[in-house]
């Protein structure tokens, strides 16, 4: 396979979209640039103590903001606002959306939702972390300032989504609705190369990922499914793998097969993960790779958000495993 760079891939893929104006390509390029900058900071975090640790304030979620959370948020927002191709962005780190309210950006047709640095509390202990992003066409009138309704669309309306995982290597994995492709960063020359073309999640896997410390707080059907995963009768010999960093757990299961679960529990009545910039983008990706993503009651991509930071229970991964869990949730199976 010729060493295709992500830039070449974006240009080649653009030809698949008749009448495309290149704006989506520019968004992906902005994300690519920001991820390179962030990857550099993360990979030297252990040495550059000044960027480690808490920023000394909480984000809208009430979570202790890390210094790198702030750096990541600023880096992605600056890269996205600089190209005049999106009219606004919504981020986990900001209470409400940010309107790039000038003549150029108000004419743009896309909005981006982003979790700039998910799992950042893991950085200080050298565990992989990630960025998750989602792209929609605006619903509000072109030329006018972006509106909240532009960010509260069902996942079915996504035109692109993806993640960057900052791990043993930095990878960009994304979809524009025509399959999933993975690109690995070569820091020696500063380029992402196509390393995982046309990614497909195995229909069946042996890995279940859940924080079993919350087991007693889960609803009975979820506990029943976890008991099945652990039972002797289960001939599939499941194994438990939970890193506590969503992008890392998702990426491993995408490649090896498996199911990731963040159920509702007595502490988090709707679960912990956010629909708009965590669950919906990963749901788009996993369905493009042949997998499934549900809440306790419906397909993640069908849910219309009622507010920006809405949380939902999240079950995502290999189709057969999610189907089995869904049967148990519906009381149709044990
Ligand atoms: P818990 C990180 O804070 C995060 O949002 C995800 O990356 C991760 O999967 C989850 O929370 C871990 O949550 O409650 O198991 O520590």
């Amino acid at each position: 396979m010729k060493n295709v760079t992500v830039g070449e891939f974006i240009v080649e893929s653009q030809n698949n979209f008749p009448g495309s104006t290149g704006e989506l390509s520019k968004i992906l390029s902005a994300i690519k640039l920001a991820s390179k900058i962030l990857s550099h900071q993360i990979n030297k975090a252990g040495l550059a103590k000044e960027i480690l640790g808490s920023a000394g304030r909480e984000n809208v979620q009430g979570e202790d903001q890390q210094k790198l959370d702030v750096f990541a948020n600023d880096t992605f927002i600056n890269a996205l606002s600089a190209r005049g191709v999106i009219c606004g962005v919504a981020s986990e780190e900001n209470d409400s959306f940010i309107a790039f309210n000038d003549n150029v950006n108000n004419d743009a047709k896309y909005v981006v939702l982003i979790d700039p640095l998910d799992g950042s509390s893991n950085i200080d202990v050298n565990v992989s972390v990630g960025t998750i992003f989602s792209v929609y066409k605006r619903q509000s009138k072109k030329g006018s300032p972006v509106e909240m309704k532009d960010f509260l669309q069902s996942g079915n309306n996504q035109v692109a989504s993806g993640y960057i995982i900052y791990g043993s290597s930095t990878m960009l994995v994304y979809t524009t609705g025509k399959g999933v492709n993975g690109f690995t960063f070569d820091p020696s020359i500063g380029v992402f190369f196509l390393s995982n073309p046309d990614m497909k999640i195995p229909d069946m896997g042996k890995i279940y990922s859940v924080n079993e410390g919350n087991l007693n707080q889960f609803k009975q059907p979820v506990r029943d499914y976890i008991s099945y995963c652990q039972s002797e009768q289960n001939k599939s010999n499941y194994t438990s793998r939970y890193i506590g960093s969503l992008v890392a757990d998702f990426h491993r299961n995408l490649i090896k097969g498996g199911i990731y679960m963040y159920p509702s529990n007595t502490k988090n009545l709707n679960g912990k993960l956010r629909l708009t910039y965590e669950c919906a983008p990963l749901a788009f990706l996993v369905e493009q790779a042949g997998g499934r993503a549900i809440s306790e009651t419906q397909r993640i991509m069908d849910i219309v958000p009622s507010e920006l930071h809405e949380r939902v229970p999240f079950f995502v991964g290999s189709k057969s495993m999610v189907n089995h869990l869904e049967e148990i949730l519906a009381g149709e199976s044990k």
Side-chain angles (χ1 to χ4, degrees):
M1 171 177 61
K2 173 178 164 296
N3 280 342
V4 177
T5 68
V6 68
E8 291 163 338
F9 188 88
I10 290 171
V11 170
E12 283 167 26
S13 306
Q14 188 179 308
N15 300 333
N16 295 335
F17 293 85
S20 69
T21 59
E23 288 174 84
L24 182 57
S25 301
K26 286 180 184 171
I27 293 171
L28 293 170
S29 295
I31 288 169
K32 175 182 70 168
L33 171 64
S35 65
K36 290 180 184 180
I37 295 167
L38 185 54
S39 176
H40 176 68
Q41 290 297 323
I42 288 171
N43 290 326
K44 75 176 190 182
L47 299 170
K49 296 295 181 199
E50 71 279 4
I51 57 170
L52 275 179
S54 170
R57 61 177 188 253
E58 287 187 345
N59 64 14
V60 63
Q61 327 290 335
E63 295 164 346
D64 181 26
Q65 225 172 20
Q66 303 298 301
K67 289 175 189 168
L68 268 173
D69 282 325
V70 176
F71 178 82
N73 199 40
D74 294 346
T75 300
F76 277 98
I77 289 173
N78 292 339
L80 288 164
S81 65
R83 307 198 177 194
V85 288
I86 62 170
C87 44
V89 65
S91 167
E92 188 215 28
E93 299 301 331
N94 297 88
D95 298 13
S96 188
F97 63 86
I98 298 169
F100 299 150
N101 188 6
D102 57 50
N103 294 338
V104 172
N105 286 304
N106 279 348
D107 270 344
K109 63 184 175 191
Y110 294 110
V111 296
V112 170
L113 295 95
I114 193 163
D115 183 356
L117 193 56
D118 181 79
S120 56
S121 56
N122 291 297
I123 288 177
D124 294 12
V125 293
N126 217 356
V127 166
S128 300
V129 291
T131 298
I132 309 168
F133 66 89
S134 177
V135 185
Y136 291 85
K137 279 191 178 159
R138 71 183 298 174
Q139 299 295 302
S140 55
K141 188 169 169 298
K142 187 171 180 245
S144 61
V146 72
E147 299 173 25
M148 180 59 85
K149 69 179 181 182
D150 295 316
F151 299 96
L152 301 181
Q153 302 182 52
S154 90
N156 293 316
N157 291 1
Q158 291 176 95
V159 294
S161 78
Y163 61 84
I164 298 100
I165 179 167
Y166 311 96
S168 51
S169 65
T170 293
M171 279 192 73
L172 165 63
V173 178
Y174 78 87
T175 182
T176 56
K178 294 187 183 293
V180 177
N181 292 283
F183 302 81
T184 300
F185 186 55
D186 180 342
S188 66
I189 53 175
V191 175
F192 282 97
F193 284 108
L194 178 63
S195 53
N196 301 66
D198 193 23
M199 298 178 80
K200 293 295 178 197
I201 185 168
D203 183 71
M204 189 60 202
K206 296 183 181 298
I207 295 171
Y208 71 98
S209 308
V210 65
N211 184 340
E212 297 188 43
N214 298 331
L215 187 67
N216 294 331
Q217 300 173 39
F218 297 151
K219 291 176 182 169
Q220 189 56 49
V222 175
R223 293 209 296 268
D224 291 345
Y225 178 72
I226 294 170
S227 298
Y228 166 81
C229 294
Q230 297 167 334
S231 69
E232 292 301 310
Q233 295 85 346
N234 173 2
K235 296 290 172 277
S236 304
N237 299 318
Y238 285 13
T239 187
S240 173
R241 289 287 183 274
Y242 189 71
I243 300 170
S245 186
L246 172 59
V247 172
D249 280 313
F250 180 90
H251 183 71
R252 179 204 54 240
N253 291 357
L254 176 66
I255 291 171
K256 290 179 176 266
I259 185 169
Y260 172 95
M261 299 175 272
Y262 208 104
S264 59
N265 56 65
T266 48
K267 271 189 305 190
N268 301 295
L269 297 181
N270 291 312
K272 176 180 182 184
L273 301 180
R274 276 59 57 121
L275 172 60
T276 57
Y277 42 76
E278 289 173 333
C279 302
L282 295 182
F284 187 24
L285 265 175
V286 83
E287 289 196 1
Q288 284 290 310
R292 291 197 64 205
I294 60 172
S295 69
E296 281 165 3
T297 55
Q298 61 190 115
R299 181 172 166 264
I300 289 288
M301 296 268 276
D302 292 335
I303 304 175
V304 179
S306 52
E307 65 96 12
L308 211 43
H309 302 288
E310 177 174 334
R311 298 173 194 266
V312 289
F314 190 44
F315 307 93
V316 61
S318 295
K319 181 178 285 187
S320 295
M321 299 176 85
V322 175
N323 287 349
H324 181 200
L325 168 64
E326 189 176 49
E327 287 167 9
I328 293 176
L329 289 170
E332 295 157 8
S333 164
K334 271 285 177 205

